[in-house]
């Protein structure tokens, strides 16, 4: 079964607004990663947060991790139309096993 | 340029046929992965390999087979035992330690005709 479950499944916002998506997972992890996928393409790595970190920033991205609740959130600030894509969390279960969640489809309208 | 290459981009298979999807990387990565993605869905792990000549089943390995004879290559065979093979297949690789950033190919879209 998949490790991560994203919420919401789909999110529609206007340019300039912030977008928040959440990921829940089931087992202990070494780290959690977020990826982006444009329609019909491969995934691109966005950010990695280790299990001993609580928050991490990269440009307009902010990721939080709560290991006690087994959850993470990805915040994209000041969204642009070009941010339209699907976003996935991925967890490392150890021994190089990388498991992805179900994804959030983000639509940013001009 | 360093990267990961999947071929072909589109593949059509007749029912009852085996087909092999190619995945090659020149990133010198030890780990390689195969995922299946159905429309509007997440990625499900088929097989993964930590090192040459070794691989492990993922969550949906039935009907698929892999080999890892070279570090650079991790081909996936979709066998006739896979009853619903139409999907988008993604290959990825990552370096050590476990859980570092994965790099993805552009995918192969397989359709059964």
């Amino acid at each position: 079964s998949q490790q991560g479950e994203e919420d919401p499944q789909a999110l529609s916002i206007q340019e300039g607004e912030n977008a928040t998506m959440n990921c829940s997972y089931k087992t202990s992890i070494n780290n959690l990663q977020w990826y982006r996928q444009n329609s019909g393409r491969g995934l691109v790595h966005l950010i990695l947060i280790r299990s001993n970190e609580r928050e991490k920033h990269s440009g307009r991205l902010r990721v939080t991790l709560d290991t006690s609740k087994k959850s993470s959130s990805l915040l994209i600030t000041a969204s642009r139309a070009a941010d339209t894509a699907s976003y996935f969390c991925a967890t490392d279960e150890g021994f190089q096993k990388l498991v992805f969640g179900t994804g959030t489809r983000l639509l940013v309208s001009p | 340029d360093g990267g990961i290459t999947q071929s072909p981009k589109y593949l059509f298979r007749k029912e009852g046929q085996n087909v092999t999807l190619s995945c090659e990387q020149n990133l010198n990565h030890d780990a390689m992965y195969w995922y299946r993605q159905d429309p509007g869905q997440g990625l499900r792990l088929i097989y993964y390999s930590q090192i040459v000549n070794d691989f492990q089943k993922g969550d949906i390995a039935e009907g698929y087979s892999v080999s890892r004879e070279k570090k650079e290559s991790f081909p996936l065979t979709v066998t006739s035992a896979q009853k619903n093979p139409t999907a988008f297949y993604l290959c990825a690789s990552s370096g050590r330690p476990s859980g570092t950033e994965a790099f993805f190919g552009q995918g192969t879209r397989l359709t059964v005709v």
Side-chain angles (χ1 to χ4, degrees):
Chain A
S1 59
Q2 288 179 230
Q3 171 73 317
E5 297 289 332
E6 267 104 331
D7 167 59
Q9 289 188 339
L11 180 60
S12 183
I13 60 174
Q14 300 289 317
E15 268 193 326
E17 294 179 341
N18 294 343
T20 299
M21 49 206 89
N22 304 294
C23 167
S24 60
Y25 58 92
K26 298 175 184 175
T27 63
S28 297
I29 60 171
N30 295 323
N31 62 53
L32 185 142
Q33 303 176 45
W34 285 90
Y35 288 78
R36 166 193 168 126
Q37 183 184 33
N38 286 10
S39 182
R41 310 281 289 182
L43 278 70
V44 175
H45 182 264
L46 295 175
I47 194 167
L48 179 152
I49 185 166
R50 302 200 180 281
S51 58
N52 60 354
E53 297 176 309
R54 291 297 168 259
E55 187 171 312
K56 199 163 184 179
H57 297 253
S58 177
R60 292 185 297 113
L61 305 179
R62 173 181 162 239
V63 170
T64 62
L65 179 65
D66 187 336
T67 53
S68 66
K69 294 181 180 179
K70 292 187 169 55
S71 68
S72 174
S73 68
L74 172 67
L75 168 67
I76 303 174
T77 60
S79 296
R80 306 165 181 168
D83 293 328
T84 294
S86 292
Y87 292 83
F88 296 89
C89 67
T91 50
D92 164 41
E93 296 185 356
F95 303 104
Q96 307 272 179
K97 186 176 183 182
L98 191 62
V99 179
F100 283 79
T102 51
T104 292
R105 295 188 303 280
L106 174 65
L107 173 63
V108 183
S109 301
Chain B
D1 286 356
I4 182 164
T5 302
Q6 289 186 242
S7 63
K9 189 172 182 179
Y10 299 97
L11 186 58
F12 297 90
R13 187 194 97 170
K14 293 183 179 179
E15 286 194 27
Q17 282 184 338
N18 292 355
V19 289
T20 298
L21 283 59
S22 171
C23 179
E24 303 276 334
Q25 55 100 359
N26 60 5
L27 300 167
N28 200 33
H29 284 165
D30 286 311
M32 297 188 74
Y33 309 83
W34 276 105
Y35 296 92
R36 169 181 172 141
Q37 186 176 34
D38 292 286
Q41 303 297 312
L43 278 67
R44 291 185 289 170
L45 182 62
I46 304 173
Y47 270 98
Y48 65 107
S49 168
Q50 298 171 268
I51 200 167
V52 175
N53 293 322
D54 186 47
F55 50 82
Q56 286 76 40
K57 293 182 178 179
D59 298 318
I60 57 164
E62 186 175 349
Y64 301 96
S65 66
V66 293
S67 63
R68 187 82 189 276
E69 297 176 1
K70 297 187 299 182
K71 187 175 187 177
E72 303 80 18
S73 179
F74 192 41
L76 173 73
T77 297
V78 184
T79 74
S80 57
Q82 171 51 238
K83 297 306 178 188
N84 185 22
T86 295
F88 188 51
Y89 290 87
L90 285 160
C91 179
S93 70
S94 68
R96 293 193 179 275
S98 179
T100 54
E101 174 186 353
F103 292 79
F104 278 80
Q106 290 304 301
T108 293
R109 192 166 299 279
L110 173 63
T111 303
V112 174
V113 297

